[in-house]
Amino acid sequence: MSARYLMIGGFLGAGKTTAVTRFAKWLSERGEKIGLITNDQGSQLVDSMTLRSHGFAVEEIAGGCFCCRFTSLKEAADKLTNDSKPTVFIAEPVGSCTDLVATVTYPLRRLYGSDFSVAPLSVLVDPHRALRVFDLATSDDGKRFSDKVIYIYKKQLEEADVIVINKRELISDAEFAALDAALAANYPSAKRFAVSARSGDGLTAWFNYVNGSNQGAGTAMGVDYDTYAEGEALLGWFNATVAVDARQAADADGNKLILALMAAVQKPLTAAGAEIAHLKMTLAPDDGSNEIATANVVAGNRTAELAQSLSDDIERAQLIINLRAEGSPELLQTVVDSALAELERANQGLTLAVDHRECFRPGRPVPTHRFTESGAGAER
Ligand SMILES: Nc1nc2c(ncn2[C@@H]2O[C@H](COP(=O)(O)OP(=O)(O)OP(=O)(O)O)[C@@H](O)[C@H]2O)c(=O)[nH]1
Ligand SMILES: [Mg+2]
């Protein structure tokens, strides 16, 4: 029997991991066995840490997007199959990636059609970001990304079978109506849902639809790979793993620590005009418990928040920092390094030792396969 393959895309910070967690729980409750696949241009992923903390089997494809690492995607699915025989795979692609239909779902259907039944592609949107992208924001409109980044954003929506307006509770009815109308006008063939992955509102209708249908026959959209590559390269990427020792710290409250670090990174980046796409961190105590703190902020003008928190003070812990912003990788690194130093100075006895650090601009996407038709057709 073939397994289901669900992919939940959307721009950086749209709420993919939050929705994947909900979807995986919903399917588990209905007797399905879940295998999750995360993906990033770098390694040491906040998302894998977050999803594992909910008890799911997770395989991580690091160092490039699904389309450029198609073979690794298939290997990750095979590994999960060997380990735990999932009946449903849920894959979260990199939030700056597009052309997933031609490079991932059509190849999966054509090369491995007997192994997988492929669900419609869902693309999530953060409504505040989308209102800005479509010039509909009436207030607090913050900074817009450059046009080539917006090109990727809109291409993601163009190829969506299903567009999901997430974080519905954050916008007014009037804002929702304006956004929904713009999405309907620009992407008339996509089915649309409005949900809150955080509260759970609206999720059942979307889950039932995606789980109950297969991606239809079709033709992939055209993509200008030069613009796509230039748009991706405008985004700086910074990942770090930091060993935290708070045994002698004046203040060992991990929740306070992670929020202070978020603020110390967000403020100078925003002042430097580097719009944050997503700054996320996890703090995982080395005490053998499954508890972690997770903090996120998805735009320069938004407030950082804790999605998960710790109930006790920390002693030793591992901090993972993933930052994506429209700015140079060097700027991102300088800002994070200064923020870590500032935090150590402000909290006597706290030590923060960077174990691993990488910063870069994503390279040009070079897909392993690109099929323009869902059925028989020529490979590019
Ligand atoms: N208010 C609100 N916040 C949400 C909702 N869904 C997700 N978030 C928050 O949005 C932020 C980003 O969520 P993630 O699930 O990490 O987003 P993502 O799309 O996986 O991000 P990347 O993997 O970095 O592209 C987190 O702070 C979430 O808690 C929602 O329905 N309402
Ligand atoms: Mg994610």
Side-chain angles (χ1 to χ4, degrees), residues 64-301:
C65 52
F66 285 152
C67 47
C68 305
R69 309 219 35 214
F70 184 82
T71 312
S72 306
L73 173 64
K74 179 66 175 64
E75 284 166 2
D78 289 345
K79 183 165 186 314
L80 285 165
T81 300
N82 285 336
D83 294 349
S84 57
K85 297 205 173 23
T87 53
V88 183
F89 293 96
I90 310 180
E92 177 185 337
V94 182
S96 60
C97 210
T98 186
D99 207 21
L100 293 161
V101 168
T103 63
V104 180
T105 58
Y106 285 177
L108 268 183
R109 289 168 61 179
R110 292 196 23 205
L111 303 174
Y112 300 103
S114 55
D115 295 351
F116 301 103
S117 73
V118 177
L121 170 66
S122 296
V123 172
L124 263 62
V125 299
D126 173 303
H128 282 306
R129 176 73 67 198
L131 285 166
R132 256 183 264 168
V133 165
F134 290 97
D135 292 321
L136 297 168
T138 47
S139 62
D140 186 37
D141 62 348
K143 195 167 155 48
R144 212 170 173 268
F145 288 120
S146 301
D147 288 347
K148 286 177 180 166
V149 178
I150 304 272
Y151 174 80
I152 298 173
Y153 190 100
K154 290 187 171 170
K155 279 286 164 190
Q156 291 181 341
L157 291 168
E158 187 182 332
E159 69 172 337
D161 298 308
V162 179
I163 295 177
V164 183
I165 300 177
N166 187 29
K167 314 187 189 183
R168 170 62 185 91
E169 83 286 359
L170 292 182
I171 51 170
S172 68
D173 289 348
E175 286 172 319
F176 173 75
L179 177 57
D180 193 49
L183 293 171
N186 283 290
Y187 313 105
S189 62
K191 206 163 165 58
R192 295 185 316 286
F193 291 92
V195 308
S196 169
R198 177 170 292 175
S199 74
D201 285 352
L203 290 176
T204 309
W206 169 42
F207 292 168
N208 272 322
Y209 176 75
V210 170
N211 196 38
S213 36
N214 287 335
Q215 187 177 50
T219 305
M221 67 183 180
V223 177
D224 174 348
Y225 266 71
D226 289 336
T227 308
Y228 176 16
E230 286 164 27
E232 271 212 294
L234 287 171
L235 296 166
W237 224 257
F238 176 92
N239 287 357
T241 308
V242 180
V244 179
D245 188 342
R247 287 173 300 173
Q248 308 294 325
D251 188 347
D253 181 337
N255 303 322
K256 256 168 73 184
L257 187 151
I258 199 170
L259 280 177
L261 188 57
M262 295 291 286
V265 173
Q266 182 180 6
K267 223 171 134 193
L269 272 184
T270 305
E275 172 63 356
I276 291 174
H278 198 178
L279 166 62
K280 50 190 174 178
M281 301 185 193
T282 53
L283 184 66
D286 290 351
D287 59 5
S289 75
N290 262 342
E291 266 201 344
I292 62 170
T294 313
N296 310 68
V297 69
V298 294
N301 67 341

